[in-house]
Amino acid sequence: MINSIKQEQARKSQELQSQLSQCNNALENSEELLEFATRSLDIKEPEEFSKAARQIKDRVTMASAFRLSLKPKVSDSMTHLMVDFSQERQILQTLKFLPVPKAPEIDPVECLVADNSVTVAWRMPEEDNKIDHFILEYRKTNFDGLPRVKDERCWEIIDNIKGTEYTLSGLKFDSKYMNFRVRACNRAVAGEYSDPVTLETKALNFSLDNSSSHLNLRVEDTCVEWDPTGGKGQESKIKGKENKGSAHVTSLKKHTSGTPSPKRTSIGSRPPAVRGSRDRFTGESYTVLGDTAIESGQHYWEVKAQKDCKSYSVGVAYKTLGKFDQLGKTNTSWCIHVNNWLQNTFAAKHNNKVKALDVTVPERIGVFCDFDGGQLSFYDANSKQLLYSFKTKFTQPVLPGFMVWCGGLSLNTGMQVPSAVRTLQKSENGMTGSASSLNNITQ
């Protein structure tokens, strides 16, 4: 519209300028004719006067001033450029204004935390048929109090939820709690957030303790792999450290007086623990322990072996597992062992006793530890089929333990005890094999 007005202004200005130029030319011609007529009045001879009169008549007839119109060819009217707002006016009159949606209310009773999934349910304080969708936000936290506006972690957003319930699945519970809030949206605007709700998401989280592993094991947080070249070139360094350590201990003994404490007495009978020393790490002793002790409660984690893994064990052990001890060969450790070398065997081990298991080795093994109930069970992680169960009484905190040779293992922690496992525990309790049954079986 602005461009059209500017173009029209330029056109009209040009028309008026042209008309003004023509009028100026006509005025100049008229002035010349008037001067000629004035001079003609002084002519005395009749013939000359008549001749001048005829010239004046012809010039007047041909003069442009008598053919020009002094009315402007254009006007300042812009009525032909006015906008027709009738359609827009009709649209404005039919507008419907939507109210801002009220904040939803999350019902903690209807929320469910199970199988590493969280189902959040909410409702509107009053019926609102203008709601188009909801936005759910969540974040993990270890803060024990009421949800804070600002936390160390940012809110994660799930948009375009059509119902009043949503399930987050496949979560890793690596924090104590999760905060949730939700807001309603119509086609115009999003409403206020609901009051945040905190749900408990506790689970056992642990990593592999590199300091407890064999030198030929390459250990990461949740992965361990057997490396036959891991110990080469480092034995001399370790021996050197051992020699220095023993010399230091000898010098301390010479300068120490009085009776040592009971803890020092018990430890003094042992050689200093040096990672990579060869005392425990023989035969099946390519072991590594978890870095978090289990002292109470029920816990669950899963282990997956590489396809070409020749031998591995999965279980638990007391913190006091000796350097010479192997998983399942003492009364301080319990495990199931898989051997794919020369002959395929699958067995449960404890206290140097073995019980062969007549089941297929699963792709992933689930480990359930009920410390207070004195139960350690192994499951097919996919089908939740029970593989074997130890029944005992744990007298000390236990650590997850693993052995691997010619292959690798990967862990999945931060998991709740699956519902299927809880159900099987109730039905199978007292009906499965136990540690006492291994006492009657020779290796």
Side-chain angles (χ1 to χ4, degrees):
M1 175 61 71
I2 291 175
N3 289 335
S4 298
I5 292 174
K6 287 181 178 180
Q7 292 173 4
E8 184 73 2
Q9 181 183 16
R11 184 187 68 80
K12 287 186 175 183
S13 298
Q14 187 176 2
E15 288 282 349
L16 292 173
Q17 188 66 39
S18 175
Q19 189 178 10
L20 181 60
S21 299
Q22 293 176 3
C23 290
N24 287 332
N25 292 335
L27 182 59
E28 291 177 359
N29 293 334
S30 298
E31 289 176 349
E32 292 179 359
L33 182 58
L34 286 173
E35 290 178 0
F36 180 72
T38 301
R39 290 194 302 271
S40 299
L41 292 176
D42 296 333
I43 298 175
K44 303 297 183 182
E45 295 181 4
E47 288 185 7
E48 292 294 330
F49 184 80
S50 297
K51 183 179 178 181
R54 286 195 297 272
Q55 289 180 357
I56 292 172
K57 177 184 177 183
D58 293 338
R59 291 182 65 176
V60 168
T61 303
M62 299 299 297
S64 59
F66 295 96
R67 296 193 301 272
L68 289 176
S69 172
L70 296 180
K71 181 180 179 180
K73 290 184 178 181
V74 295
S75 69
D76 58 355
S77 175
M78 291 285 189
T79 55
H80 60 292
L81 291 177
M82 292 183 65
V83 179
D84 181 9
F85 280 108
S86 59
Q87 184 177 1
E88 286 74 13
R89 184 179 294 108
Q90 184 179 1
I91 293 174
L92 290 172
Q93 290 172 348
T94 58
L95 279 178
K96 295 181 179 179
F97 295 92
L98 295 175
V100 177
K102 294 186 177 180
E105 298 173 353
I106 299 179
D107 188 356
V109 178
E110 297 296 326
C111 296
L112 178 65
V113 180
D115 298 328
N116 283 79
S117 298
V118 178
T119 299
V120 184
W122 60 88
R123 60 176 177 268
M124 295 299 296
E126 58 185 46
E127 186 177 356
D128 187 351
N129 57 8
K130 302 298 183 182
I131 298 299
D132 179 69
H133 65 278
F134 296 91
I135 299 175
L136 176 66
E137 298 186 4
Y138 68 94
R139 67 184 178 190
K140 298 179 179 180
T141 182
N142 289 313
F143 182 64
D144 294 330
L146 294 173
R148 299 176 293 188
V149 176
K150 292 185 178 181
D151 200 81
E152 64 272 10
R153 303 190 187 185
C154 298
W155 291 96
E156 302 287 339
I157 300 175
I158 300 175
D159 200 352
N160 201 32
I161 301 173
K162 296 299 182 180
T164 57
E165 182 179 292
Y166 190 83
T167 299
L168 289 164
S169 57
L171 297 172
K172 180 175 181 178
F173 288 165
D174 51 2
S175 63
K176 293 181 180 179
Y177 309 99
M178 289 182 69
N179 300 145
F180 295 90
R181 65 183 184 183
V182 66
R183 64 197 306 195
C185 304
N186 55 32
R187 294 186 179 275
V189 68
E192 295 294 326
Y193 286 106
S194 66
D195 292 333
V197 169
T198 300
L199 301 178
E200 188 177 32
T201 56
K202 286 184 179 179
L204 177 65
N205 285 275
F206 67 90
S207 300
L208 298 176
D209 185 3
N210 189 42
S211 64
S212 71
S213 71
H214 189 284
L215 195 63
N216 287 101
L217 294 181
R218 187 164 59 247
V219 177
E220 296 181 5
D221 287 342
T222 57
C223 297
V224 56
E225 189 171 357
W226 185 73
D227 183 2
T229 63
K232 293 182 179 180
Q234 300 187 37
E235 292 183 359
S236 59
K237 294 182 181 180
I238 294 170
K239 289 180 179 178
K241 291 180 180 179
E242 290 178 347
N243 292 334
K244 290 181 180 179
S246 60
H248 180 63
V249 171
T250 303
S251 63
L252 286 176
K253 285 182 179 179
K254 290 180 179 179
H255 294 86
T256 302
S257 60
T259 305
S261 66
K263 289 186 177 180
R264 290 185 177 179
T265 302
S266 60
I267 296 176
S269 60
R270 288 185 176 182
V274 180
R275 184 179 184 270
S277 58
R278 303 299 297 176
D279 46 4
R280 173 158 62 99
F281 305 124
T282 57
E284 297 177 359
S285 292
Y286 295 101
T287 58
V288 61
L289 302 176
D291 62 359
T292 302
I294 298 173
E295 300 179 351
S296 63
Q298 296 180 345
H299 307 279
Y300 180 85
W301 61 95
E302 293 180 355
V303 183
K304 182 178 181 180
Q306 294 178 354
K307 291 184 178 180
D308 57 348
C309 190
K310 294 293 190 295
S311 177
Y312 62 93
S313 298
V314 178
V316 299
Y318 286 154
K319 289 183 176 181
T320 56
L321 183 71
K323 288 287 185 177
F324 290 102
D325 300 338
Q326 301 172 21
L327 285 180
K329 291 199 174 184
T330 67
N331 61 355
T332 61
S333 62
W334 299 257
C335 73
I336 57 173
H337 176 72
V338 178
N339 179 35
N340 297 319
W341 176 250
L342 298 180
Q343 58 180 356
N344 295 332
T345 60
F346 188 26
K349 291 185 175 184
H350 171 64
N351 201 19
N352 208 24
K353 300 295 188 293
V354 178
K355 180 176 176 59
L357 303 181
D358 189 19
V359 291
T360 304
V361 178
E363 180 183 4
R364 288 184 298 121
I365 296 175
V367 184
F368 170 76
C369 180
D370 182 359
F371 186 90
D372 301 319
Q375 191 159 348
L376 178 68
S377 301
F378 300 89
Y379 292 87
D380 182 331
N382 293 325
S383 67
K384 298 301 183 289
Q385 175 193 1
L386 179 65
L387 304 175
Y388 191 78
S389 184
F390 291 101
K391 188 68 177 177
T392 185
K393 182 179 181 180
F394 296 118
T395 59
Q396 303 176 33
V398 295
L399 292 167
F402 310 90
M403 185 283 296
V404 60
W405 176 68
C406 287
L409 300 175
S410 59
L411 313 182
N412 191 6
T413 66
M415 303 182 69
Q416 286 187 313
V417 179
S419 302
V421 171
R422 291 186 184 276
T423 303
L424 284 171
Q425 283 297 314
K426 292 180 181 179
S427 60
E428 297 290 341
N429 191 22
M431 299 174 60
T432 60
S434 65
S436 60
S437 65
L438 290 177
N439 294 332
N440 301 322
I441 301 172
T442 57
Q443 186 178 8

